[in-house]
Amino acid sequence: MSRALTIAVESPRRDGIAQLLQLGTAFAESLYPPESNFLLDVAELDRPEISVYVARDEGGHAIGMAALVPWGVAVTELKRMFVHPDARGRGVATSLLARMEADARSAGLRQIVLETGTLHTAAQSLYARCGFSPIPQFGRYIGEKHSYCMAKMLSH
């Protein structure tokens, strides 16, 4: 990656994050019916147990984000992963995943689970390249025809 990138845990109310959430929501809504979108909004993300990771470029602009949400014992769920279209292809998503995995591992978590859409083939490929494997649908995604679930075990 040629440009400076910083990744930090931030409040979802910080500058630029609302735009990323809006873009991610619009993208998901363009592909799936409303009942098939399981998107967390700012208020749902703004809880102490949720870690919102934000990637910012050298100018401090939010260009990517994702959140880790506790799910079960020693498991966290990856939610709201999104990279601004202008920042794609620069390693932002891979960098976000690496940072989140390191933090989850340091916190003693054993697994990261996620749900993405069946039409999100680029996301599925990214997660597979980063060591995630398909798993049966879990939680509220069970029976959802547009949900594709994956997980990664974390080594300690």
Side-chain angles (χ1 to χ4, degrees):
M1 197 164 46
S2 60
R3 298 182 184 167
L5 179 72
T6 59
I7 298 174
V9 175
E10 300 184 10
S11 163
R13 298 184 188 279
R14 292 245 354 244
D15 183 50
I17 299 172
Q19 180 192 25
L20 289 175
L21 289 170
Q22 290 167 353
L23 289 169
T25 297
F27 179 69
E29 289 177 346
S30 75
L31 297 174
Y32 308 106
E35 66 274 9
S36 296
N37 285 311
F38 301 93
L39 306 173
L40 300 180
D41 63 22
V42 171
E44 292 168 308
L45 290 169
D46 196 11
R47 299 192 332 239
E49 70 273 16
I50 296 177
S51 298
V52 177
Y53 290 79
V54 180
R56 293 187 180 273
D57 65 15
E58 63 281 355
H61 302 101
I63 58 172
M65 67 167 295
L68 290 180
V69 178
W71 199 92
V73 178
V75 177
T76 190
E77 182 180 1
L78 174 65
K79 297 288 290 178
R80 294 307 307 244
M81 172 71 94
F82 186 77
V83 174
H84 192 286
D86 294 342
R88 292 185 184 153
R90 295 178 14 199
V92 175
T94 303
S95 296
L96 278 164
L97 282 171
R99 168 66 191 276
M100 290 185 296
E101 286 178 28
D103 287 359
R105 192 175 291 109
S106 294
L109 298 174
R110 293 189 320 252
Q111 186 180 45
I112 298 175
V113 296
L114 64 87
E115 179 270 347
T116 189
T118 54
L119 301 176
H120 281 77
T121 54
Q124 292 170 30
S125 295
L126 166 75
Y127 297 134
R129 282 193 313 275
C130 291
F132 286 78
S133 300
I135 60 169
Q137 292 176 331
F138 63 93
R140 64 188 192 171
Y141 313 117
I142 294 173
E144 171 53 50
K145 69 178 182 176
H146 299 291
S147 289
Y148 183 81
C149 297
M150 302 181 82
K152 180 175 184 174
M153 294 301 295
L154 302 175
S155 58
H156 289 278

